[in-house]
Amino acid sequence: MNSKTYNRSAAINYAKKWALSRNPRYYNFDPVGGDCTSFVSQCLYAGSQKMNHNPKNGWFYNNGYDKSPSWSGVEFLYKFLIKNKSFGPRGKEVSQSEIQAGDIAQLSFSGNKFEHSLFILEPTTLSVAAHTYDVLGKKIHEYNFSKVRFIHIVDVGI
């Protein structure tokens, strides 16, 4: 499978532009559980420009009713990124010291499951952008969470 470089600058610019508002091209999932993972997916798409339309385990968005579970679900996005060997962004779980701007953090508030996706703007300060509770530049340590995991975007399958 061929690959290309993930465009971190494009993903970061998208996050900064849309963190505090909604891109009308995408459905706002706030009323149905939250928009955090959809926002992270939008950022990933801005940096990858490649979706994976596999109906069983892909990562895609056509509209609010025609999308993969991984587009808007925390655990589904994690599984897609970690296991993806095909089209679209591909990632791996890493330690905090290995993340870069344009990567992802996911938080667990209960300690049992991960419930919130965040887009990393600055890895040194752990500054993030996120939806549901819209933030731009908030630090991860300002959240009250029990666990965090980091996903580094390695490349994009084309």
Side-chain angles (χ1 to χ4, degrees), residues 23-66:
N23 182 338
R25 183 196 176 310
Y26 296 100
Y27 181 79
N28 177 3
F29 290 94
D30 282 337
V32 291
D35 200 53
C36 64
T37 304
S38 176
F39 173 69
V40 165
S41 286
Q42 293 168 43
C43 296
L44 290 173
Y45 181 66
S48 67
Q49 292 298 301
K50 188 70 174 175
M51 293 185 187
N52 182 319
H53 288 274
N54 182 315
K56 184 175 179 179
N57 55 9
W59 173 78
F60 64 90
Y61 178 94
N62 294 313
N63 61 55
Y65 304 99
D66 183 11

Side-chain angles (χ1 to χ4, degrees), residues 117-128:
S117 297
L118 308 154
F119 184 82
I120 304 288
L121 295 172
E122 210 296 308
T124 306
T125 61
L126 289 180
S127 172
V128 299

